[in-house]
Amino acid sequence: MDRASFFAPKRSLGQNFLSDPNICRRIVASLELAPGDPVLEIGPGRGALTRILAGHDGPVMALEKDSELVSWIKAEFPAVGVVHADGLDFCWEGTRRLPGLSLIGNLPYNVASPMIWEMVSRCRSFRSMLFMVQKEVALRLTAKEGSRTYGALSAWVGNFVRGEYVFTVPPHVFRPQPKVDSAIVRFLPRPDPAWEDAAALSWTVKILFQQRRKQLGTILKAHWSEAVETWCGELGVDRRVRPEELSPDALRSLARVLDPKNEAAKSAKCPSGQGLPEYF
């Protein structure tokens, strides 16, 4: 028996390990790697995807938080570079040293949303991202304005990437089996990501969607100005609209008008955070 099977899933880390090789091959194939493309796997776990990726003709690296699994992956896949780090604290800006990088991973349900929030806005030169998340989260990540699932996460992600719902993954392909369906989502970079507007955009989507059932004029009553009134006129937006009716682009332009002075959000994300080692 493969020694990886002895690593019991840790509930504290939200671990649900893939166990179906056909699904694993389909997931990796969906990344559409070309020879020579660098790839970074987030949370390799017991190596279900890593085993396939290890045969890729290009640099392969894995980022894993669990120290026991880090040791096992290093021994089992010597050609794969392993970074022992938490994806929530990782210096994603460092991936710009790898133009054309693809990211892939079966993300733990309990951290998938905040991790994707950081990755899409801080990875500056990636080619594609392909992640397995809870189906409910996948629907929010790829939702369009006006839909029931559209929210702050949808609006934020939509300002940096183009999202696609790829396919649904049933519970029985995991050990242990989750109680809900999972799904694969793919992200491709937008040609005009909102890097310069990130701080204002983050503040704007959070304040709006905390009160998503209220009207725009009510939510922004304390911040209403002539500039906001002009913005409404230029975009044809009625102050009675609700946040979920505004597209990612509309929210970005509104953020520029509001321009909150959020210096904390504008500061460096990872002055001392761990990034990719130089050899990768």
Side-chain angles (χ1 to χ4, degrees), residues 17-36:
F17 297 127
L18 279 165
S19 60
D20 186 313
N22 292 324
I23 284 289
C24 293
R25 285 190 287 269
R26 185 180 178 189
I27 292 170
V28 173
S30 298
L31 194 56
E32 299 179 349
L33 290 172

Side-chain angles (χ1 to χ4, degrees), residues 47-144:
L49 299 180
T50 319
R51 194 169 301 280
I52 302 169
L53 292 168
H56 169 60
D57 181 16
V60 179
M61 180 162 280
L63 188 154
E64 175 59 57
K65 179 180 179 179
D66 188 326
S67 57
E68 293 180 347
L69 288 173
V70 166
S71 298
W72 179 81
I73 294 164
K74 287 180 177 179
E76 187 74 6
F77 308 104
V80 175
V82 183
V83 176
H84 184 195
D86 185 342
L88 291 174
D89 299 326
F90 192 68
C91 187
W92 296 109
E93 288 82 356
T95 59
R96 72 180 66 196
R97 293 191 294 101
L98 293 162
L101 176 68
S102 291
L103 297 93
I104 186 172
N106 171 23
L107 302 183
Y109 287 169
N110 58 343
V111 297
S113 294
M115 195 179 297
I116 289 174
W117 182 286
E118 298 296 331
M119 283 190 281
V120 298
S121 60
R122 294 167 58 191
C123 293
R124 298 295 179 94
S125 59
F126 71 94
R127 186 183 71 85
S128 64
M129 297 181 181
L130 189 84
F131 298 126
M132 175 131 60
V133 297
Q134 187 175 344
K135 182 178 180 180
E136 178 185 344
V137 174
L139 292 173
R140 294 207 310 268
L141 287 165
T142 56
K144 303 300 182 184

Side-chain angles (χ1 to χ4, degrees), residues 238-253:
D238 191 298
R239 63 188 298 158
R240 292 171 294 182
V241 304
R242 290 176 171 79
E244 63 263 29
E245 299 174 61
L246 298 174
S247 71
D249 287 337
L251 289 164
R252 189 196 306 196
S253 64

Side-chain angles (χ1 to χ4, degrees), residues 11 25 34 45 69 89 132-133 162-163 167 172-173 178 191 193 199 202 207 216 225 229 231 241 245-246 273:
R11 184 176 296 180
R25 285 190 287 269
L69 288 173
D89 299 326
M132 175 131 60
V133 297
R162 300 300 188 193
F167 62 88
H172 71 262
V173 304
S202 176
I207 195 172
L216 186 68
S225 65
E229 195 70 47
W231 174 86
V241 304
E245 299 174 61
L246 298 174

